[in-house]
Amino acid sequence: MNAAAERRYAILAPGSFTSRAAKTAHGVIAYARDRTVAVIDPDHAGRRVRDVVPYLDSDAPIVASLAEALPFSPTALLVGVAPAGGALPAHWRAWIDEAIAARLEIVSGLHQFLGDDAAFSGAAAHSGSRIRDLRTPPAPRLFDGSGQSVRARVILTVGSDCAVGKMTASLELTRAARERGHDARFLATGQTGIAIAGAGVPVDRTICDFTSGAVEELVLAEGDADLLFVEGQGGINHPAFAAVTLGLLYGAAPDALVLVHLASRTHIDGYGTPILPLPRLVALYEELCAAVKPACVAGIALNTHGLDDAAARVAIERASRETHLPCDDVVRNGPAGLFDAMAPRFAHKTTALR
Amino acid sequence: MNAAAERRYAILAPGSFTSRAAKTAHGVIAYARDRTVAVIDPDHAGRRVRDVVPYLDSDAPIVASLAEALPFSPTALLVGVAPAGGALPAHWRAWIDEAIAARLEIVSGLHQFLGDDAAFSGAAAHSGSRIRDLRTPPAPRLFDGSGQSVRARVILTVGSDCAVGKMTASLELTRAARERGHDARFLATGQTGIAIAGAGVPVDRTICDFTSGAVEELVLAEGDADLLFVEGQGGINHPAFAAVTLGLLYGAAPDALVLVHLASRTHIDGYGTPILPLPRLVALYEELCAAVKPACVAGIALNTHGLDDAAARVAIERASRETHLPCDDVVRNGPAGLFDAMAPRFAHKTTALR
């Protein structure tokens, strides 16, 4: 990351800032060094970020148009929504055009690359604005196993589903590890994580034959750290995205896993697939690792969003009892407790069976 | 498939026709309707296909150059080797150039698309030859579950590793099912299968987020059959390619699995990862299917290549005893026995848990 490159974001989320699809917007506001100076969503214009998304500690204004955002001196427009399938909603084109004309950098995590759009790239060349597609994949590289023996102990968050808090858990645990004096680093694997960290690999956009190789390359580049917290993706039983999950699991070659689950979720969102009981999910992830590079689940990061404190405590205790593992909500209760409970399991490298 | 489009292949495999990397060449010679009229490999020039690869029932000549192949009237040059990583060896460019100049169609299953190469495409435009890249992926499509309920019963071959005989098992079982009067179809998912069938989806080339969706689309298009035998890819413990395997597993949404294993192989080829004992591999595949769409392993297609008849019999009996499943070598002993033993397990659709 280059300190000189700090951005001031206007985040585009028309009609969707309070929806789950705005997780890119929420993640960047919560965790990125780049500042968010305004959010564009006519549905909530006149209010502030923390008024409509209470867990975001930001008083950035929400405005109805790009023109109203410009007085806050943004340097970039971030497409803040990550729709499934990753296509640009057609009625958003005018917003992008307007931002390009205003010479803002365009930052997008969509599958549909804005830089490949002739109209956008032509307009950007004309105005002198840049287009940054966060999901641009790295050059194809075949996994070769070299990442399995980096110095760093690699900790991967794995999930019961998409959008349950894997990125947040990885970020919070990185912070806790740093506070304990470790050289701990967060490795981003999705568009939001990349927007936050300023670098990473968009795993879901890689060609499937090269998915594991791309993740391995990411680990190799940061292999001199003490601890690498790799952002997980999807879920091993996700009918649409499990390929991403498994490619990431073998590519990262973790020494330990942290299982992330949303306490209130019983089925894979949008697909109706039942989520396995946590002990079975733990066993499944561990069995997948067993022959390739053994890794145990070190703890459960339980996302208790939507529960009151008493219900959250019950859910955390139950998950811990069922799995015989440390469990906590790293947002509600902070990451230090779970990190300390898991730390003994982060002390050693595991070895691939050869 | 269009009957009018039958090709006469010269297969390019210089220095490699007898190697495992030439599996595309071998598969096309063994199973494609398109005829192979010559193989180009200077190392074996002057001999015939069956002299150097005994299990291929073909007396096509092996020649040292394209010039020597032309008298056999090929209409297309097939790149017959599938190197890991899928790049064109630099010293092969001259062969391709020569074939384009001779107005042959160029058919390639490499990751590196020959049609995207300016020199090749320019030369092809000039000579009037065509370039067909078998690994060209379909347009991105998100998995939506609609393929889980096609009429056809879907049978997917799954493997302990790459190159153990999944495509061959699918092709042989398709043949056996047809001989029993079923409308059975083979669905190709890799470059060799696509070269054989004339259509299919190159799963390993899809963007990881869309892998399952691409396979689902393939199943939907043929969902009116009685039985669909879907060609498997990779292996669930393959450190480099398991993402492809799992995306294919969920995308195909099979009703039954056939586990394919090479009896002589103990470790994942090229990676040193030990192959799990067959009962554990069966359990792992079934556990991955359990919550998404239940599917059991109906039988074991054991590839006993390299064993004598007595050793093969022992290996088949042991695999059957260990797994309590029907087991046979569908090449050595033909597919009818294994098909008949598994057929009761192909009789019903399974249902996704909702």
Side-chain angles (χ1 to χ4, degrees):
Chain A
M1 279 187 274
N2 175 359
E6 195 166 329
R7 294 177 181 83
R8 293 172 58 85
Y9 277 129
I11 298 186
L12 183 65
S16 52
F17 183 62
T18 57
S19 78
R20 256 195 317 216
K23 68 177 186 177
T24 299
H26 301 171
V28 166
I29 292 170
Y31 290 105
R33 199 194 45 176
D34 297 313
R35 266 187 69 192
T36 296
V37 299
V39 170
I40 304 170
D41 181 356
D43 289 3
H44 299 284
R47 307 183 70 188
R48 294 187 174 267
V49 164
R50 74 158 63 81
D51 299 335
V52 299
V53 185
Y55 64 87
L56 291 176
D57 181 28
S58 163
D59 60 3
I62 305 177
V63 298
S65 67
L66 185 69
E68 292 173 34
L70 291 179
F72 301 99
S73 306
T75 62
L77 181 82
L78 174 71
V79 176
V81 179
L88 180 73
H91 60 286
W92 288 28
R93 293 193 67 95
W95 302 91
I96 311 277
D97 286 333
E98 200 181 342
I100 291 173
R103 305 188 58 175
L104 299 190
E105 181 184 8
I106 309 297
V107 179
S108 166
L110 297 172
H111 266 297
Q112 179 184 336
F113 291 154
L114 304 188
D116 289 350
D117 183 294
F120 290 148
S121 61
H126 186 258
S127 76
S129 108
R130 287 184 307 176
I131 300 177
R132 180 165 187 239
D133 283 299
L134 298 171
R135 251 180 180 150
T136 305
R141 173 189 180 277
L142 207 57
F143 177 93
D144 64 14
S146 56
Q148 292 185 340
S149 49
V150 294
R151 172 186 179 279
R153 283 143 288 152
V154 178
I155 296 122
L156 173 68
T157 46
V158 293
S160 60
D161 192 2
C162 296
V164 293
K166 292 179 291 291
M167 184 192 76
T168 299
S170 293
L171 285 161
E172 291 289 349
L173 290 168
T174 304
R175 187 162 65 85
R178 285 182 180 164
E179 284 170 3
R180 293 290 185 268
H182 299 288
D183 174 4
R185 303 177 203 166
F186 167 76
L187 295 191
T189 64
Q191 75 275 13
T192 303
I194 295 169
I196 290 168
V201 165
V203 181
D204 62 4
R205 177 72 188 196
T206 55
I207 290 173
C208 210
D209 243 8
F210 301 113
T211 299
S212 292
V215 178
E216 182 177 55
E217 188 171 37
L218 184 69
V219 167
L220 283 167
E222 304 283 342
D224 62 328
D226 296 331
L227 294 169
L228 294 179
F229 288 93
V230 181
E231 177 193 4
Q233 294 293 334
I236 198 65
N237 275 162
H238 197 293
F241 303 131
V244 181
T245 305
L246 189 56
L248 177 50
L249 182 66
Y250 288 166
D255 301 290
L257 307 173
V258 177
L259 178 61
V260 184
H261 175 57
L262 179 61
S264 60
R265 195 167 292 174
T266 58
H267 291 72
I268 303 277
D269 189 37
Y271 288 88
T273 303
I275 292 173
L276 290 178
L278 294 184
R280 237 172 113 182
L281 213 43
V282 168
L284 179 54
Y285 276 115
E286 291 183 349
E287 178 71 351
L288 284 164
C289 291
V292 180
K293 180 170 186 258
C296 289
V297 175
I300 315 285
L302 192 69
N303 178 347
T304 60
H305 182 71
L307 303 186
D308 66 26
D309 280 349
R313 199 160 44 241
V314 167
I316 289 167
E317 284 168 5
R318 189 175 56 216
S320 182
R321 194 172 58 242
E322 286 175 358
T323 60
H324 308 289
L325 289 170
C327 175
D328 207 349
D329 184 326
V330 296
V331 172
R332 186 186 290 261
N333 300 325
L338 184 60
F339 177 81
D340 289 344
M342 295 190 297
R345 297 166 194 250
F346 297 163
H348 302 290
K349 294 291 294 177
T350 65
T351 310
L353 305 171
R354 295 274 153 114
Chain B
M1 279 188 272
N2 176 359
E6 196 167 330
R7 294 178 181 82
R8 294 171 58 86
Y9 277 129
I11 298 186
L12 183 65
S16 52
F17 183 62
T18 56
S19 78
R20 257 195 316 220
K23 69 177 186 177
T24 299
H26 301 173
V28 165
I29 292 169
Y31 290 106
R33 198 195 43 175
D34 296 314
R35 264 187 70 191
T36 296
V37 298
V39 170
I40 304 171
D41 181 355
D43 289 4
H44 298 284
R47 308 184 69 187
R48 295 189 174 267
V49 163
R50 75 159 59 83
D51 299 334
V52 300
V53 184
Y55 64 88
L56 291 176
D57 181 27
S58 163
D59 60 2
I62 306 177
V63 298
S65 67
L66 185 69
E68 292 173 33
L70 291 178
F72 301 98
S73 307
T75 62
L77 181 82
L78 174 71
V79 177
V81 178
L88 180 73
H91 60 284
W92 288 27
R93 293 194 68 93
W95 301 92
I96 311 278
D97 286 333
E98 200 182 341
I100 291 173
R103 306 188 59 174
L104 299 190
E105 182 184 9
I106 308 297
V107 179
S108 165
L110 297 171
H111 266 298
Q112 179 183 335
F113 291 155
L114 303 188
D116 289 351
D117 184 293
F120 290 148
S121 61
H126 185 260
S127 76
S129 107
R130 287 184 308 174
I131 300 177
R132 179 165 188 240
D133 284 298
L134 299 171
R135 252 181 178 147
T136 305
R141 172 189 181 277
L142 207 57
F143 178 93
D144 65 13
S146 56
Q148 292 185 339
S149 48
V150 294
R151 172 187 179 278
R153 283 142 289 150
V154 178
I155 296 124
L156 174 68
T157 45
V158 293
S160 60
D161 192 1
C162 297
V164 293
K166 293 180 290 293
M167 184 194 76
T168 299
S170 294
L171 285 160
E172 291 289 349
L173 290 168
T174 304
R175 188 162 65 85
R178 285 183 180 164
E179 285 170 4
R180 294 290 184 268
H182 299 288
D183 174 4
R185 304 178 201 165
F186 167 76
L187 295 190
T189 64
Q191 74 276 12
T192 303
I194 296 169
I196 290 168
V201 165
V203 181
D204 62 3
R205 177 70 187 197
T206 56
I207 291 173
C208 209
D209 244 7
F210 302 113
T211 299
S212 292
V215 178
E216 182 178 53
E217 189 171 36
L218 184 68
V219 167
L220 283 166
E222 305 283 343
D224 61 328
D226 295 331
L227 294 169
L228 294 178
F229 287 93
V230 182
E231 176 193 3
Q233 293 293 334
I236 197 65
N237 275 163
H238 197 293
F241 303 131
V244 180
T245 305
L246 190 55
L248 176 51
L249 181 66
Y250 288 166
D255 300 291
L257 307 173
V258 176
L259 178 60
V260 184
H261 175 57
L262 178 61
S264 60
R265 195 167 292 175
T266 58
H267 292 73
I268 303 278
D269 189 37
Y271 287 89
T273 303
I275 292 174
L276 290 178
L278 294 184
R280 236 172 115 182
L281 212 43
V282 167
L284 179 54
Y285 276 114
E286 291 183 348
E287 178 70 350
L288 284 164
C289 291
V292 180
K293 179 170 187 262
C296 289
V297 175
I300 314 284
L302 192 69
N303 177 348
T304 60
H305 182 70
L307 303 185
D308 65 26
D309 280 349
R313 199 160 44 240
V314 167
I316 290 167
E317 284 167 6
R318 189 175 57 216
S320 182
R321 194 171 58 241
E322 286 175 357
T323 59
H324 308 288
L325 289 169
C327 174
D328 207 349
D329 184 327
V330 296
V331 172
R332 186 186 291 262
N333 300 325
L338 184 61
F339 177 81
D340 289 345
M342 296 190 297
R345 298 165 193 251
F346 297 163
H348 303 290
K349 295 291 294 176
T350 65
T351 310
L353 306 170
R354 292 275 152 111

